[in-house]
Amino acid sequence: MSERLLPASPNWYCSRSSDTSPKGVFGFGAKSSVYLVNVTAASPVIAGELKGHRERVSGFAFCRYPGQEEICASSSDDGSVKIWDSQKQATLKEHKAHQSTITSLHWSPVVKDLLVSGDEKGIVVCFWHNRNETQSFFPEPRTIFCLSCSPHNENYIAVGYKDGMIVVIDISRKSEVLHRLRGHDDEIHALAWCPQPGEEELLPRAEETAEAEVANGRKVPDGERGCYLASGSKDQTVRVWSTARGKGVMTLKLPFLKRRGLGVDPTVKERLWLTVHWPHTRPTQIISSCFGGELVVWDLTRSGKQKWALLGSSSEGQNHTRIVFNMSSVCMGESRELLISTSMDRDVKCWDLETLDCCWTLPSLGGFVYSLTFSPVDTGSLALGVGDNMIRVWSTLSIQNRYDTKTFWQGIKSKVTALSWHPLKEGHLAFGTDDGKVGIYDSYSNKPPQISSSYHRKTVYTLAWGPPVPPLSFGGEGDRPTVTLYSCAGEGVILQHNPWKLAGEANDIDKVIRDTNGIKHKLSPHTDLSWKPDGEILAIGNEDGSIEILQAPALRLLCSIQQHHKIINVLRWHHEHGSQPDASHLLASGSNNATVYVHNLKSIIETPSDTPVLVTEPYRSLVGHTAKITSLAWSPHHDGRLVSVCYDGTAQVWDVLKEEAICNYRGHRGRLLCVQWSPVDPDLVWTGGDDFTVQEWAVSKQEHTKPPKGKKSIELEKKRGLQPKPKAKKKKKPAGKGHVAGDQGGRGAEEGASEPEEEQEDVPVKTEHTPTTAAVSKEPRCRQPDAIVSEKNRNGGKGFSFVARESLKDEKQREKQAEAPVKKKKPRSILPLSTSMDHRSREDQQRDCLTLAAVRHSQALPSNCVPGSGAHIQLGLFGDRAALYTMFEEEGRSHIEGGHYESLNSLLLWKGDLAGALQVAIEKGELTEHLVAVSPMAGYQVWVRAVEAFVKQLCFQEQYVKAASYLLSVHKVYEAIDLLKSQQLYREAIALAKARLLPEDPVIKNLYTTWAAILERDGHYSNAAKCYLAADSTYDAAKVIAKKGDVMSLKTAAELALIVGENALSNSLALRCARELLTAQDWLGAREVLQAQESLLGHQLVFCTSELLHQCLAGTKLIDWGSASSHGWTVGSGVPFVDAVAVVWEREFGVSSADVDKVKLLHQQVKSVENPAATANIPIKQLLFHLSHDLTLAVLSSVALARGETVTAMLGALTRCRDATHFTLMRELCRLLLPKGMQSVSSLKAQLDHTDTHSIAAVQSLEAFVCYFQLYEMWWNQSNERPSETQPEKAALPQPSVAGLQRDAQNPSEPAAVNGTGPQDTADEEQGAIPTEEGSDTLEEEPCRSQEAMLASACAVLISETHAALQTTRSVIEEIQLRLSSMMQQHLHTAATPEEQQKELHALPESGSEHEATAASQSGASTAESTSLTSLIASVSEYNKQLAEIPEHIKRYPFPDVIECCLVILHMGRDSASALPEDLQRRCLALLHKYGTAASVIKARHKFCA
């Protein structure tokens, strides 16, 4: 459950989608849910959510019967009506009696189990849920808009229709219509009954006397008392009706308020929803909505024109700003009544009807929540970027109003997808939108935002403030801004905006990156960026999954992280104020795969290399999510605590340093898009998603630890599936008189603005488009074979012969008709008017002869006679040319009116007016190929214009290839290419360009690269690579092939990069491919890939070492060894692993000590690859590969005769196993490296330079680990030799910790079973077994040495006082630092007086921490002595001095835990069979007394030494 929540917006254009219970619970429908809010006069509290509908909630109502106030009902566009228990938030009953969309719902105030609903077909359904019975009524064949049950008569229901009709029906008389109330002439939006029965005398109106005799229904008998009914309509009037007399008694016209603005014509119907409400405690007052969101109280008893008063008129900003849809009220005590209203402005407001003032406002959200960000200056100000084209700034720390929110909408006009607060200027908020706009708002001002003149072409994904880079970084301090704004958008470009001059041109930082790093190839499109908090380093995420780390201000490339192989969605740097020194260099990243990777870039940033470093291993991998990661946030209160949100609908909190999941939040219904950690409370996190909500939740209160998997994940998918899916919009006819274009007031646009989110770019889910009704209902004229089969199936196999016979009969009939002689249709005359004159009577035709004779042979023409025109048009054919042209003009006008342009063109061509014919054809879009072909006869310019016009006409007809061919005819090659390109006919465009343009023309390269980008986006990587190769973008060709990430693609990409000369890229891809093959244990394939890269010989050696290591460990069951695809290399028994590997290298790779320079170069190449430190959760395959790397360095050092480095590398491998807590592997590795145990160590020591203190210290540490394993082996053998005691099962080697010895102190007869793989895996496998004497494969010792001598020798090495002091001092410093960090965090968040804080500080040491006891003991102070913050800091300083006095070569190399070894030795000494020298025991006791001061060690010491 969330702590606080901003809900989705109440649904629009519903007559009753919200209601308030008598107990003060307000419910409203939002999308497909119902939100419940506890109403008080002070503030709202969201109590829960009713989930279950699949589509929009269209109605909601509470039961008002005493004792059942928690029961409520809802209706939905999915056709269901549900009964709910609002306290348990569970469904009680459901019915689906409606066949059409439900438009209204009401719970009878009189009958406790009667629920009434109406639909758009005019059906009224009554549902008695106690007896589960439904009854349908059909009073009128009209669309129902609203209905209301009478509060005084259980059988009366008032129904309002779309056409303005109101009927009152009696359901006890089979829906008999009591009254038809006519008066409104448009939609009825709301009906409200007077709460008081009877009809008291209201102020008489003019229309009452005029309509006194007009009856609208039957007269109610004198014995029945009527009741007033109020109605609100789109015709801008509120009417009060008498149900006793069946007529209207009062008409209230909405006032035109000044706030609507000047110049508005009151006669024009605006977008209006007129809802009415009759308060429970005020029978003489009606509340109605108005034009612009105002609420009006009408006093029905007041005389004069001013019968109304305005709610919220006492101060500005109280009213809604857009139309109001629903109102309901609740009585708080005897005299106070609160009114709740919902509006198109997405606010829910509470009003006090006594004072007419607004008590509180609950904001809501009308779109996806894309972005959340807390202000770094004004703590607690949370900015929300929402898909309803608005920004909200929420003051989350406000005490009086928990939902104190300010809304910004000016200048946005699109979804707000990115936000970022200015790091220094309070109230300055940068925003980015879905249409590519970037701007800056001043949240403390009412001014419109500043908008950048540089727009992105696609959605803005990320905004970030950072230091200026060139060219803005040039100049003095006063000449440039301290920070600039960076924006990254969907087209893959990052722009730098100058906040001082947003009207200026923004800079693309890719130019700086190219110039600084000398990059010639195309950069991968960018998808995210993140500045390190100190402003020195910029991280950029790319579409191909790579991450680039750049150093400001020149943006020099330090390293490239090739971990993700999918588009990067989010990057986040760790904060700078952590107690861990490495924490500030942690970079978390999330992509379209479900894993969050964290990289530690400390060494790369502090000691940058001359050339960019390639990072392929993460510092931590956070695995658990099941979909793409969308946002990340580091906790500002902890070290290494991260929260991630994902498309799986959950938010996950991680402990990054331990690589563990802490908690999982599942309160959202959809995909999560953004997350922020509270800047003031370390336990609170804020998340937003596509369920239109922002939720605040506590980490400590979550019951789940990890994201859901398996069935739980499926349940979440089903839960998200309950959300409404976008439907295809149906075109509806205008609603009638007064319809305004774009009006969303009609029912057809009910959710047009309430649910504007139909994600296109960042939601990869494909939506299924259902065919329209018209398409489904259309039947083909001829029955198809599949239709026949389906009909056969419907008829159970019968009727097929009938259908076949019918179709045969039809076919024969068609054949006969085809054989019959077809009468040719006479072509239409080109001179239809003059032709029609030939069909007149003979008398008229003879009169024409006389007229024609007079025209040709007489000087005086008959009156009103113009040959070729009017009634004498037919004479134009027989007169002169002028008469003929006149006839042509008449005929031409007739052709235009009839649309016969081809005939008109023929007339113009006959006339010789070719230009005129072309002009007419161009204007009418009736050009033909014939006209274009003859157009050169009119001149060159006419021909060109005709071709261009014909091209436009062909494009309109979607004949683009033909259009391009016509452009070529007028030598417009570039235009033809652009035309094909604009229609994405890239293949044709390229063919044309290469055929007609010069090879070096940049248009050809642009076509290839543009087509390649589209092919790459659609997943056609091979074709995209061909395009890049043709465009000479070889780097991009290799990258795009590798994008798929499988072995074949990586291998092909590496070979391609090698062929084209991109050697660095080829090496990187070959390594990735080899790693994939290594994972599958395809050793031959991996070597084949690496052999093609001459510069990767060092990595070939690493893979060879890895194969040999796997082969040696195959018998231990630590790994699954598959030898099907391996080399025939073997390692001899008893031969040190290092020497055996060197032999294989010399034989297979030619690497030997004869070529020392080559060996040194290989050593340098292998050493340049950095592997992260091992953790307890590292997979065994990854650990083995890292060990292979360390062992390769050891072998190379051995071949180069650098014995000191050999020892150091071997020790590093053993240390990596210890850090991974895999002690079984550590023992096996020790056996491989030192097969003769101490004899092998002595041999190594003899080869070292004794003046080299570091080499001697390293071999001593190596010797100590060998002795450590001998010590535990002797302890095990000693335990096995006790016949009287039960022998435990074989256990793995012990984990070096005092905790295990504490357990042994309670049962000292058994040795400590250790950790490595868990006790269940250690019973019968070699992984954890220390073999007995028979068939022993343990570390070989000198045969002449007795057990006592071996023990004494081992103890002499392990009992090192210098190392004991070092280990204890480091432990004490670490514990004191942890305590200091805890104290600082505690006092930062404790609002106490200085006296209380000092008192608390003095009281802290009395809590009994064992670490504090250790510190006090080491300093010689009493454990009861109070410690202050100052003394703790002084203690740390003192211990650091002691630590500095210890030689560096001692501190550099790891050593077994000395205190642990002392305890084991003393434990073994208790057995009389083991004769330990007394001086040895005394040394152990002395070390324990001096350094073993921890509580756990003291307890174990008392047990072991008793």
Side-chain angles (χ1 to χ4, degrees), residues 814-873:
R814 286 196 297 272
E815 287 178 2
K816 287 182 180 179
Q817 291 175 356
E819 291 174 2
V822 180
K823 186 178 180 181
K824 290 184 179 181
K825 187 177 179 181
K826 186 178 180 180
R828 186 178 182 278
S829 173
I830 201 169
L831 301 170
L833 294 183
S834 59
T835 303
S836 64
M837 301 298 283
D838 294 339
H839 302 293
R840 292 177 301 162
S841 65
R842 184 172 54 180
E843 181 182 353
D844 291 337
Q845 292 190 33
Q846 290 176 355
R847 190 178 300 112
D848 286 344
C849 293
L850 295 176
T851 305
L852 179 60
V855 168
R856 293 186 64 86
H857 300 284
S858 175
Q859 297 296 330
L861 292 176
S863 60
N864 300 325
C865 176
V866 179
S869 175
H872 302 91
I873 187 172

Side-chain angles (χ1 to χ4, degrees), residues 336-379:
R336 192 173 193 184
E337 185 171 0
L338 299 180
L339 177 75
I340 316 294
S341 59
T342 64
S343 166
M344 188 183 277
D345 63 6
R346 308 190 191 282
D347 285 341
V348 177
K349 289 183 178 288
C350 177
W351 307 84
D352 189 337
L353 294 183
E354 186 66 30
T355 62
L356 303 185
D357 286 333
C358 181
C359 303
W360 49 258
T361 300
L362 174 64
S364 64
L365 308 177
F368 292 3
V369 183
Y370 290 102
S371 179
L372 294 174
T373 177
F374 275 102
S375 171
V377 182
D378 182 11
T379 306

